[in-house]
Amino acid sequence: MSVQTPFQTTVTVVGMTCGHCTSSVQEEVGEIAGVRSVDVVLDSGAVTISSDRPLARPEIEAAVVEAGYALA
């Protein structure tokens, strides 16, 4: 049995100012097909995404925009 190592993508989101902001981004990005986990760091805007497949920037950007923010 082989265990697939997830893909990891890190982007920077601008405009987040509070915990609710990070929750919104985490929720929207987490809905992308294949996403396993989303870690959002408010201070830096860093969003680290683990997924079962490579993620294209436009699909990440669409989720971030849906949450009300933008990619740097």
Side-chain angles (χ1 to χ4, degrees), residues 46-67:
V47 178
T48 303
I49 308 157
S50 293
S51 58
D52 294 329
R53 62 181 180 81
L55 299 177
R57 183 176 171 93
E59 66 185 324
I60 297 169
E61 187 166 24
V64 169
V65 168
E66 182 68 27

Side-chain angles (χ1 to χ4, degrees), residues 2-51:
S2 67
V3 176
Q4 181 181 358
T5 303
F7 291 88
Q8 193 164 350
T9 308
T10 301
V11 295
T12 301
V13 174
V14 293
M16 296 185 299
T17 58
C18 64
H20 178 73
C21 299
T22 60
S23 295
S24 295
V25 169
Q26 196 166 20
E27 184 178 328
E28 290 296 335
V29 173
E31 291 179 5
I32 297 172
V35 169
R36 290 184 179 186
S37 68
V38 182
D39 181 45
V40 182
V41 179
L42 179 60
D43 293 341
S44 65
V47 178
T48 303
I49 308 157
S50 293
S51 58

